[in-house]
Amino acid sequence: MKTRHSSAMTLMIAGATALVGCSKNDPGTYQGYVEAEFVHVGSGVAGRLERLFVARGQAVEAKAPLFELEANQETAAVTQADEALSAAKAQLADLGTGKRSAEVEVVRAQLEQAMATEKQSASQLARDTAQLEAGGISRTQLEASRARHDVDAARVRELRGQLQVAELSARPEQIRAQTSQVAASRAAADQTRWRLDQKHVAATQAGVVVDTLFREGEWVPAGSPVVRILPPANVKVRFFVPEPSLGLVPVGRKLTVRCDGCAKAVAATVSYVSTEPEFTPPIIYSNDTRAKLVFMVEARPAVEDAPILHPGQPVEVVPQ
């Protein structure tokens, strides 16, 4: 029995030694995992989700429509704002042209009539002056002719002034006030159009739809993400390097990333090296480095190779 027990213990120790030997990593290989920076796409205004154009797992291009919120109220507001802007512009144009042409023609006709009357009274005054010298009329009659001519001349001056005023534009203060009104109307129209644009949301960059967070018919609060997208450029590899090996992975260093089930190794470039050490995170299962201080390093794969990697996937990183 003792010999059989000793043989069993020997086999267990040998097996444990073999497992420990298999768990040791190549000194030039570092353990890590894939991480992603998701883009949460929402709307700046609230509304009922009317249409959802994408599904989870779907690849989308930049500017592809993602979702659409109900926009009846915003559409009406844009129409109202555009009409208000048109009215303000028309009023400003009217202030710059003076009175209407028909009104100007009326004043001009009155001026011509007054000038004819003034000419007639001037002729009468000249005749009465000659008659007074000849003794044909009294001085009182001459004074009456002179007064009538003065009245006619004053009427001509009045109508000339009215014609000049009618042809002038509005006062500068009125024009400045109306110009400000046009600017305010334009700003209001831009604001309503922005709100309408917020009801039709498109992708700002290409990527894969990771999740959709609302269903059609549900109410979406302002700012709440409706679609979560992962652009290829937002995939990164995070791994941990012991302090003695930190100089082997500076920013810009080329790496090779290997993962289980990957069709090929993925090339990556170091984009960030932490300035502070930390304990090896529990996700990195390595008996050799579990209790050691390490530095976190991040690397970005090429955009065309990023879809090979999946967030949360464990990887091995080898500096080239």
Side-chain angles (χ1 to χ4, degrees):
M1 292 293 293
K2 184 175 181 180
T3 303
R4 186 180 301 170
H5 181 72
S6 298
S7 299
M9 288 295 295
T10 301
L11 290 173
M12 292 177 62
I13 293 173
T17 303
L19 289 174
V20 171
C22 293
S23 67
K24 291 183 178 181
N25 298 319
D26 184 344
T29 301
Y30 306 106
Q31 302 298 314
Y33 56 92
V34 180
E35 196 170 81
E37 298 169 343
F38 299 105
V39 176
H40 296 82
V41 183
S43 173
V45 296
R48 182 177 60 83
L49 182 59
E50 193 167 79
R51 294 190 65 185
L52 185 62
F53 299 106
V54 296
R56 188 166 53 182
Q58 178 181 341
V60 295
E61 298 295 331
K63 298 183 180 180
L66 298 178
F67 63 91
E68 185 177 282
L69 303 179
E70 184 181 15
N72 295 336
Q73 182 177 356
E74 284 72 18
T75 301
V78 167
T79 302
Q80 180 182 7
D82 287 343
E83 292 298 331
L85 177 59
S86 297
K89 287 181 176 179
Q91 188 172 357
L92 178 61
D94 183 66
L95 290 177
T97 57
K99 290 188 176 182
R100 294 175 297 180
S101 59
E103 294 176 328
V104 174
E105 289 301 323
V106 170
V107 177
R108 185 174 286 112
Q110 292 176 343
L111 175 60
E112 291 176 356
Q113 181 181 3
M115 290 175 63
T117 302
E118 189 270 341
K119 183 178 180 181
Q120 183 179 5
S121 62
S123 299
Q124 183 63 43
L125 177 60
R127 287 195 298 269
D128 289 348
T129 302
Q131 287 291 328
L132 179 65
E133 294 176 355
I137 61 171
S138 64
R139 181 168 294 278
T140 302
Q141 186 175 352
L142 176 63
E143 293 298 329
S145 296
R146 183 176 287 112
R148 189 178 305 108
H149 175 262
D150 292 342
V151 170
D152 293 340
R155 176 61 175 168
V156 169
R157 291 193 299 271
E158 176 188 0
L159 290 173
R160 281 177 176 167
Q162 289 183 9
L163 182 59
Q164 291 177 351
V165 171
E167 292 175 341
L168 290 175
S169 60
R171 295 194 303 272
E173 292 79 7
Q174 288 180 314
I175 294 178
R176 282 195 294 269
Q178 190 58 34
T179 301
S180 299
Q181 183 63 39
V182 170
S185 298
R186 182 177 289 109
D190 291 342
Q191 184 179 12
T192 56
R193 189 166 285 103
W194 176 85
R195 291 182 63 87
L196 178 60
D197 292 341
Q198 289 295 302
K199 294 300 184 81
H200 308 273
V201 180
T204 57
Q205 51 189 318
V208 176
V209 177
V210 178
D211 201 2
T212 56
L213 307 177
F214 286 87
R215 293 184 293 272
E216 291 183 356
E218 291 184 328
W219 181 262
V220 180
S224 296
V226 177
V227 178
R228 186 163 59 180
I229 297 178
L230 177 58
N234 289 19
V235 175
K236 61 184 178 182
V237 174
R238 177 174 287 181
F239 61 100
F240 299 85
V241 178
E243 188 274 334
S245 303
L246 192 60
L248 300 177
V249 287
V251 173
R253 179 67 184 272
K254 301 297 183 181
L255 309 171
T256 299
V257 180
R258 297 194 293 259
C259 56
D260 296 337
C262 293
K264 63 175 184 176
V266 175
T269 305
V270 175
S271 59
Y272 171 76
V273 178
S274 175
T275 58
E276 297 181 357
E278 56 185 283
F279 285 102
T280 306
I283 194 172
I284 304 300
Y285 298 105
S286 172
N287 293 329
D288 296 333
T289 60
R290 188 183 300 276
K292 295 181 180 179
L293 289 176
V294 293
F295 287 81
M296 184 191 72
V297 180
E298 292 181 351
R300 301 274 180 175
V303 173
E304 59 272 14
D305 293 334
I308 299 176
L309 304 175
H310 302 282
Q313 183 178 26
V315 296
E316 290 183 348
V317 181
V318 182
Q320 294 181 2

